[in-house]
Amino acid sequence: MNSDCVDLIATDPPFNKSKDFHATPECGSEKVGFHDRWSWETEVQPAWLDKIQDDWPAVWEVIDAANAIYMHKTKKNLKRPRHEVGFGMGAFLCFMAVRLMEMHRILKPTGSIYLHCDHTASHYLKAVMDAIFGPRKENYRNEIIWCYRGGGVPKSDFAKTHDTILRYSKTDAVTFNVDPVRIPYSEESAERLEYKAKAFRGDKTYDAYEPHPDGKHPEDWWPIQPLSSSDPERYGYPTQKPLRLYERIILASSNPGDMVLDPFCGCATTPVCAEKHGRQWAGIDIWENARTAVVDRLVANGLLRPGDAGDRRGGDLFAEGQLHHVTVPPARTDHGKAAAAAFRTKVVIPEPPGTRMTRAEMYAHLLTQHGAKCQGCDRTFDDPRYLELDHNTPRADGGVKHISNRVLLCGPCNQLKSNIYTLSGLRRENTKRGYMAA
């Protein structure tokens, strides 16, 4: 997808629950379900690590910290770099990080993202999102608590009856509409407001106070009940969320005609809400029956005429427009424009032809070529793990990820270099400060 093209992302990804989820018979398929288990050895792709460590080093710090906490601390593991000996939490965060990076890229400056998670990994995901979207007040908007009743009660713990929805925006110019999601005042609240208005008449705080006719401004805790097993809305998908929950998100953070995306659309809760309220939408899922679920639920909600579904191979008609289903990613038409300011290069330099090395291959190549020596301060180390792979020309100045633009630096040099200096500029700065090896 092109950069800066989506107004709202509302998504309910895997939670890292370390369990398998299976559908109920309502889905009409015994194969529905997914594995929410993660393994560093089998799940993490080298390309993910390259992208994270090259483009978002702060994200890697979060993943590295998770690996340090969760990995089995055997003598063998402690002798190896942590990017080779990660654990399930680190693998899950890698999976989410590369996708959140792309979500950040495709969001418009006025756009926002709602990431649904729970206590299993919400604290790590918040740190990952802080690193990608920025921890500043204008980017981190809310930690919404979806609270509900029901479920099991553990003997030795408080009952876990809430999920977390992390809300971030790309800039301070974010779309937010409070009136469509106002909550009617309870009878008790209305009486209290009326009392305050009368008791403090003339006080600046309550002078001429009038309650809003549509209700109160919602808090960041949302008491909305999940779907019961007999709810007619239930489709049978194992982690289905109620339409009421995602309607509030879509009404508050998008306008009619806006583009809404759910990269983990599952049984189509976000697409149904978006269509119901006049938004354009796109849903992505690896489940083979995801398209069938979208069609079924649109029909069930009166948003798609049953006679138009045809043979389910394409061309499902809405009252206006058409339902398009593709199995390959759409081609980008923005010439690969990067949305993140740090990657908007001053001069775009094409990479040399040929197969690109992985980070591990580049690291080994430079060690063979220069030994365990920092190319920024000329210090030689007895342990190559003190050295970090970086770019000669920074990415922000058009530097490529090719081996021809790579150097090995010690930690202090890499921190000083940042995305400011080239290697020669770093060496000049080190000489000026007296940091060069004698």
Side-chain angles (χ1 to χ4, degrees), residues 8 10-13 114-116 146 165 222 224 241-251 262 269-270 273-274 277:
L8 169 64
T11 192
D12 178 23
Y114 289 73
L115 184 73
H116 198 133
W146 172 36
I165 302 175
W222 297 355
I224 297 174
K241 303 302 186 295
L243 290 171
R244 281 183 61 207
L245 181 65
Y246 278 73
E247 280 182 332
R248 182 175 292 186
I249 292 171
I250 287 169
L251 288 171
D262 187 348
T269 297
T270 299
C273 292
H277 294 286

Side-chain angles (χ1 to χ4, degrees), residues 40 52 67 87 137 139 247 255 283 301 365 386-387 420:
W40 189 267
I52 294 168
N67 281 338
F87 203 63
K137 180 181 177 182
N139 292 355
E247 280 182 332
N255 297 310
N301 283 271
H365 175 82
Y386 287 110
L387 298 174
I420 301 171

Side-chain angles (χ1 to χ4, degrees), residues 43 58 75 97 160 166 279 282-283 290 309 358 393-394 410:
E43 306 286 348
K75 289 182 179 180
K160 297 178 175 66
L166 299 172
R279 275 64 168 170
T358 65
T393 300
C410 64

Side-chain angles (χ1 to χ4, degrees), residues 4-9 106-108 110-113 174-175 253-255 257-261 280:
D4 301 329
C5 71
V6 171
D7 295 283
L8 169 64
I9 297 174
I106 64 178
L107 265 184
K108 291 181 180 178
T110 54
S112 53
I113 176 173
V174 64
T175 297
S253 291
S254 67
N255 297 310
D258 281 356
M259 172 56 74
V260 177
L261 170 69
Q280 301 181 76

